[in-house]
């Protein structure tokens, strides 16, 4: 299991306790470490949870908690040997899924179900029916379209899993056509975009390539191992060389250009317009920003950016009339 | 017990509440709960704190319901609606996972992969909680299935409040910037389903002002989503989300634009990699669900693209470029 990185909320912790009780009772006797591994938590957290459960119970007929209505564990076994064994349990039910939990898994299944190797191993329809039946209410109304895999994607999935070098015919965000030899490391889908991350032999550095921008992919032969430094992701991080451009857009359109703005960058509201600073790698990005806000943008400064954006739009109109 | 002398964590209070209500066949009244259950009882003696304690209980009930605990309210016979006499209970049959539901290791691995589709936001919280519940079954994961995973982000701020509103049957209000527009409009809707299609999250809802079904893009909800205070006028049908997805698919198939691209350019490659694009005599036929959104996407290619059809799309793209030119005149 992936390690948890998000801080857990009280409902998360309650869900954990409610799932932990029936597990521990089914196991009869289990080490703290094994139980912690099973739930992807630390031995310390597991001990704390067991102690909380062991002090809990139900109020009896007279409204007080007594030994008859409390959970009870073998304390000697727990304290001396780090073993969990329940001697008494007022509850051992396995919880159902909430509507939202069932929906999250169902929609996730819709996304991955299209992969033929899974369809061969698991009856997805039966699995979905089981999830829906195990939910407290009707699963929440949530649906996703299955991820479609085109030929290029299938080739890249295969190249990653069999460690083959690929040659890609690629167009950069600056619009330049380039041919790169890449030893693939991973192929990831984010929303409807797919990214190939790998060692670019042409640049001798780790690079990320967007599937949308690949004209073709050719499999060359066996890939080599590379010691890639972590966290050098040029596609997703603004470089120091990024130019700052001041723009005006309609106030309502501000959220549409959020990815081009720094987190703490100031916004000046002037009536219906918002004046903001964006960070761009090159002037070609300005046209893309303009398109996001349906053309309602003015580049204020520097003058070079103002001229570049105006020229971009005039060129587009001219080419269109031809 | 030394309950009065120590601070009781929230999860312990909620856990004790679940245990007490599961164990009680006839259910417990609010007074019985507040005076006996761990986490409430130590504060019950303090009369000046009573109103806070009752509000705490109201919030705890919502938390339990959000987590899928089937908390029921039963009216006393002859005293319908009297909250002092109402009894609360959790019927074990509705709480407990049906006995015959089991998951194989391969199914479990598949569900783990499904949960990993959500890497952030409320769906990731929901799927993580679901996996924790699955772990109560004691199944061990078979790692061999996990190769690559497609993920979907739920970055839109509107996602969580809309999911909650659908779950609770609430009507909501938000500011919406229609594609192609520059001024947002205030909408009041009963949310019905959330659908991920063509890389975007869509809200399918009943617009309560125009009294008709409408689809909204979550990205274009440009202000906070807030409950109006009224219950939803329309509730989702069981197949609501599947139907909404089919409608978007049908719209996508029937909406076709014809464009000409500069050979070998970025526009050429990106348009050809777009699902559904076909070569035709005049250029390329591309599919979309919304022509205004497509106009934004096409306008980004500038001089590398010419829009041939339909006319409304061509005019929309040209208008975007003209707007830029006139802003810099």
């Amino acid at each position: 299991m992936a390690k948890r990185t998000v801080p857990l909320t009280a409902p998360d912790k309650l869900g954990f306790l409610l799932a932990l009780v029936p597990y521990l009772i089914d196991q009869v006797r289990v080490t703290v470490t094994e139980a912690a591994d099973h739930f992807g938590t630390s031995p310390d957290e597991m001990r704390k949870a067991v102690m909380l459960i062991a002090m809990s119970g139900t109020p009896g007929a007279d409204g007080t908690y007594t030994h008859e209505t409390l959970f009870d564990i073998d304390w000697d076994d727990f304290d001396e040997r780090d073993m969990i064994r329940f001697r008494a349990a007022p509850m051992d039910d396995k919880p159902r899924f909430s509507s939202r939990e069932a929906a999250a898994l169902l929609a996730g299944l819709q996304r991955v179900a299209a992969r033929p190797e899974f369809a061969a191993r698991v009856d997805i329809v039966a699995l979905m029916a089981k999830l829906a039946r195990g939910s407290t209410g009707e699963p929440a109304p949530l649906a996703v379209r299955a991820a479609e895999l085109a030929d290029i994607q299938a080739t890249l999935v295969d190249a990653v899993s069999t460690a083959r070098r690929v040659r890609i015919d690629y167009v950069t965000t600056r619009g330049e056509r380039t041919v790169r030899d890449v030893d693939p490391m991973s192929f990831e889908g984010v929303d409807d975009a797919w990214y190939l991350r790998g060692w670019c032999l042409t640049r001798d550095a780790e690079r990320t390539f967007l599937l949308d921008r690949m004209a073709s992919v050719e499999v060359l032969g066996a890939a080599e191992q590379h010691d890639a430094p972590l966290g050098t992701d040029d596609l997703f991080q603004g470089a120091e060389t990024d130019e700052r451009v001041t723009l005006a857009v309609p106030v309502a359109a501000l959220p549409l250009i959020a990815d081009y703005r720094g987190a703490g960058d100031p916004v000046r509201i002037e009536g219906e317009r918002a004046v903001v600073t964006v960070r761009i790698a090159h002037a070609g990005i300005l046209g893309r920003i303009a398109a996001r806000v349906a053309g309602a943008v003015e580049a204020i400064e520097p003058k070079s950016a103002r001229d570049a954006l105006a020229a971009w739009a005039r060129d587009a109109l001219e080419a269109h009339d031809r | 017990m030394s309950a009065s002398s120590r601070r009781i964590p929230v999860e312990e209070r909620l856990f004790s509440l679940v245990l007490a209500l599961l164990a009680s066949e006839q259910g417990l009244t609010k007074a019985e709960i507040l005076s006996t259950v761990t986490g409430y009882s130590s504060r019950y003696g303090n009369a000046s704190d009573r109103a806070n304690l009752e509000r705490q209980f109201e919030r705890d009930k919502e938390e339990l319901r959000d987590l899928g605990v089937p908390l029921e309210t039963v009216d006393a016979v002859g005293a319908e609606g009297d909250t002092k006499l109402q009894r609360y209970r959790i019927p074990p049959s509705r709480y407990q996972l049906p006995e015959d539901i089991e998951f194989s290791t391969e199914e479990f691995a598949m569900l783990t992969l499904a949960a990993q589709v959500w890497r952030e936001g409320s769906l990731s919280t929901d799927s993580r909680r679901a996996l924790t519940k699955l772990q109560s079954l004691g199944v061990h994961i078979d790692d061999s299935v996990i190769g690559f995973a497609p993920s979907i982000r739920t970055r839109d701020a509107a996602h969580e409040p809309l999911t909650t509103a659908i779950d609770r049957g609430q009507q909501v209000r938000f500011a919406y910037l229609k594609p192609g527009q520059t001024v947002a409009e205030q909408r009041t809707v009963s949310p019905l389903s959330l659908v991920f299609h063509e890389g975007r999250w869509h809200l399918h809802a009943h617009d309560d002002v125009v009294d008709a079904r409408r689809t909204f893009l979550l990205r274009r909800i440009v202000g906070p989503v807030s409950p109006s205070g009224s219950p939803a006028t329309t509730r989702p049908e069981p197949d609501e989300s599947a139907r909404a997805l089919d409608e978007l698919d049908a719209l996508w198939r029937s909406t076709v634009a014809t464009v000409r691209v500069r050979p070998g350019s970025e526009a050429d490659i990106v348009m050809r990699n777009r699902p559904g694009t076909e070569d035709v005599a005049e250029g390329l036929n591309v599919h979309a669900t919304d022509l205004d959104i497509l106009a934004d996407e096409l306008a980004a290619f500038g001089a590398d693209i010419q829009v041939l059809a339909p006319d409304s799309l061509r005019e929309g793209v040209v208008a975007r470029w003209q707007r830029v030119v006139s802003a810099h005149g």
Side-chain angles (χ1 to χ4, degrees):
Chain A
M1 285 295 310
K3 286 274 166 268
R4 291 192 170 114
T5 49
V6 215
L8 296 184
T9 61
D12 282 331
K13 291 180 188 168
L14 173 64
F16 170 52
L17 292 171
L18 295 176
L20 182 58
V21 168
Y23 165 80
L24 292 175
I25 287 164
D26 276 357
Q27 298 296 308
V28 183
R29 186 166 180 261
V30 63
T31 66
V32 165
T33 321
E34 193 185 324
D37 280 353
H38 183 76
F39 281 92
T41 186
S42 67
D44 258 3
E45 289 296 323
M46 183 54 64
R47 279 184 212 106
K48 269 172 37 193
V50 169
M51 285 193 276
L52 189 158
I53 294 167
M55 296 199 302
S56 301
T58 59
D62 62 348
T64 60
Y65 289 87
T66 64
H67 282 297
E68 284 87 70
T69 59
L70 287 175
F71 282 97
D72 186 26
I73 65 166
D74 183 334
W75 285 101
D76 291 344
D77 219 11
F78 185 65
D79 289 339
E80 289 160 23
R81 290 174 289 276
D82 224 17
M83 296 294 294
I84 309 164
R85 187 174 70 83
F86 275 88
R87 288 193 296 219
M91 182 275 267
D92 64 356
D93 298 332
K94 298 180 176 79
R96 284 178 189 250
F97 304 108
S98 72
S99 305
R100 291 177 56 161
E101 290 162 0
L105 291 186
L106 285 168
L109 280 176
Q110 289 171 12
R111 191 66 173 170
V112 297
R115 305 279 302 139
E117 64 265 40
F118 302 144
R121 296 172 71 171
V122 173
D123 182 344
I124 303 273
V125 177
L127 178 56
M128 287 183 161
K130 258 196 283 193
L131 273 180
R133 210 155 54 81
S135 160
T136 315
E138 197 68 48
L142 182 73
V144 304
R145 194 158 135 170
E148 286 173 39
L149 289 187
D151 292 349
I152 292 187
Q153 278 157 300
T155 306
L156 290 173
V157 170
D158 202 45
V160 172
S161 52
T162 58
R164 314 298 284 177
R165 178 170 297 173
V166 291
R167 175 168 293 168
I168 56 178
D169 178 356
Y170 194 73
V171 60
T172 68
T173 59
R174 288 171 195 268
E176 292 153 2
R177 203 65 182 262
T178 161
V179 175
R180 304 286 188 92
D181 287 355
V182 180
D183 286 344
M185 294 167 179
S186 69
F187 185 58
E188 289 167 47
V190 180
D191 297 346
D192 269 9
W194 293 84
Y195 302 90
L196 174 71
R197 191 184 293 253
W199 192 264
C200 174
L201 292 127
T202 320
R203 289 281 181 276
D204 203 27
E206 190 187 336
R207 286 284 184 272
T208 303
F209 301 94
L210 198 58
L211 179 92
D212 266 7
R213 303 177 158 276
M214 297 180 189
S216 65
V217 174
E218 184 189 343
V219 178
L220 297 180
E224 284 165 34
Q225 285 284 338
H226 300 274
D227 295 325
L230 291 170
T232 51
D233 203 335
D234 58 335
L235 239 184
F236 301 108
Q237 279 163 14
E240 286 300 307
T241 53
D242 277 1
E243 189 184 356
R244 282 157 190 260
V245 176
T246 306
L247 302 174
V249 297
V251 173
L254 215 42
L256 302 181
I257 60 166
D259 353 337
Y260 292 104
R261 296 177 51 214
D265 288 357
V267 182
R268 202 169 70 242
I269 306 292
E270 295 178 351
E272 299 286 290
R273 301 199 325 164
V275 177
V276 292
T277 305
V278 295
R279 297 151 190 246
I280 58 167
H282 55 93
I285 304 283
L286 287 169
R288 245 173 267 169
I289 295 177
R292 281 221 192 163
V293 296
V297 63
E298 182 188 350
I300 297 170
E301 58 183 19
K303 184 166 184 309
S304 58
R306 189 176 170 84
D307 293 346
L309 182 56
W312 171 83
R314 271 195 306 272
D315 290 351
L317 284 170
E318 208 173 287
H320 207 262
D321 288 340
R322 265 203 298 274
Chain B
M1 290 294 297
S2 57
S4 54
S5 59
R6 76 187 168 93
R7 217 183 118 71
I8 292 159
V10 182
E11 65 271 21
E12 184 174 350
R13 182 180 71 236
L14 294 172
F15 184 56
S16 301
L17 181 58
V18 172
L19 293 177
L21 296 182
L22 261 176
S24 169
E25 246 172 77
Q26 322 83 321
L28 300 172
T29 64
K30 195 195 297 184
E32 284 168 340
I33 291 166
L34 300 185
S35 63
T36 63
V37 174
T38 303
Y40 303 103
S41 57
S42 57
R43 288 169 60 192
Y44 189 70
N46 184 352
S48 61
D49 193 31
R50 189 67 54 79
N52 286 332
L53 195 60
E54 294 207 2
R55 275 197 295 277
Q56 182 71 70
F57 176 61
E58 293 304 314
R59 285 197 298 273
D60 289 350
K61 283 194 299 182
E62 284 297 323
E63 295 269 31
L64 292 191
R65 286 182 177 133
D66 285 349
L67 207 62
V69 175
L71 178 67
E72 291 183 355
T73 311
V74 188
D75 280 332
V77 177
E80 281 73 18
D82 185 337
T83 55
K84 281 210 169 53
L85 296 176
Q86 274 173 348
R87 307 184 84 83
Y88 297 94
R89 64 172 189 187
I90 300 170
S93 61
R94 283 190 61 212
Y95 172 83
Q96 186 173 18
L97 197 66
E99 294 270 358
D100 62 328
I101 291 190
E102 288 174 353
F103 297 94
S104 68
T105 50
E106 295 212 320
E107 285 179 324
F108 195 89
M110 186 86 197
L111 291 171
T112 306
L113 194 66
Q116 284 170 357
V117 167
W118 318 110
R119 301 227 177 134
E120 57 189 21
S122 58
L123 281 167
S124 137
T125 305
D126 291 337
S127 55
R128 192 181 64 234
R129 288 179 183 172
L131 284 187
T132 302
K133 287 184 181 172
L134 275 168
Q135 279 155 350
S136 73
L137 301 170
V139 185
H140 292 286
I141 306 166
D142 169 13
D143 283 326
S144 66
V145 178
I146 299 165
F148 85 109
S151 68
I152 299 177
R153 294 176 295 186
T154 48
R155 295 167 83 192
D156 304 293
H159 212 285
E160 163 62 25
L162 288 172
T163 306
T164 303
I166 293 172
D167 208 32
R168 296 183 177 173
Q170 295 166 330
Q171 187 190 55
V172 291
R173 290 206 184 100
F174 52 76
Y176 189 66
L177 182 62
K178 255 174 93 168
Q181 306 289 308
T182 56
V183 179
E185 297 165 11
Q186 202 63 32
R187 301 295 188 121
T188 303
V189 309
S190 296
L192 296 173
S193 66
L194 290 167
V195 176
F196 184 79
H197 186 266
E198 248 206 311
R200 300 183 192 92
W201 280 103
H202 299 72
L203 166 70
H204 193 60
H206 186 85
D207 187 317
D208 292 322
V209 176
V210 298
D211 193 22
R213 300 260 166 150
R214 290 284 185 270
T215 301
F216 303 92
L217 282 161
L218 263 61
R219 253 193 84 179
R220 293 187 156 266
I221 295 178
V222 291
V225 174
S226 47
S228 70
S230 304
T233 60
T234 315
R235 297 291 289 141
E237 302 285 329
D239 62 343
E240 193 75 49
S241 56
R243 269 196 313 172
L245 190 62
D246 288 347
E247 280 169 28
L248 284 170
D249 264 338
L251 190 59
W252 181 85
R253 278 193 300 275
S254 64
T255 310
V256 184
T258 308
V259 300
R260 192 177 291 153
V261 289
R262 187 166 63 79
S265 68
E266 181 188 353
D268 187 5
I269 294 168
V270 173
M271 282 296 113
R272 283 175 192 279
N273 277 327
R274 197 181 161 95
T277 298
E278 307 144 324
D279 265 299
V280 290
E282 305 83 21
L284 299 174
N285 272 358
V286 299
H287 288 262
T289 44
D290 184 305
L291 285 180
D292 276 307
I293 300 280
L294 183 63
D296 285 348
E297 291 174 353
L298 298 180
F301 294 116
D304 286 344
I305 201 151
Q306 280 176 287
V307 182
L308 306 179
D311 287 346
S312 62
L313 179 68
R314 193 180 61 236
E315 286 155 15
V317 170
V318 167
R320 281 160 173 76
W321 293 327
Q322 279 167 344
R323 223 171 271 153
V324 175
V325 170
S326 61
H328 296 81

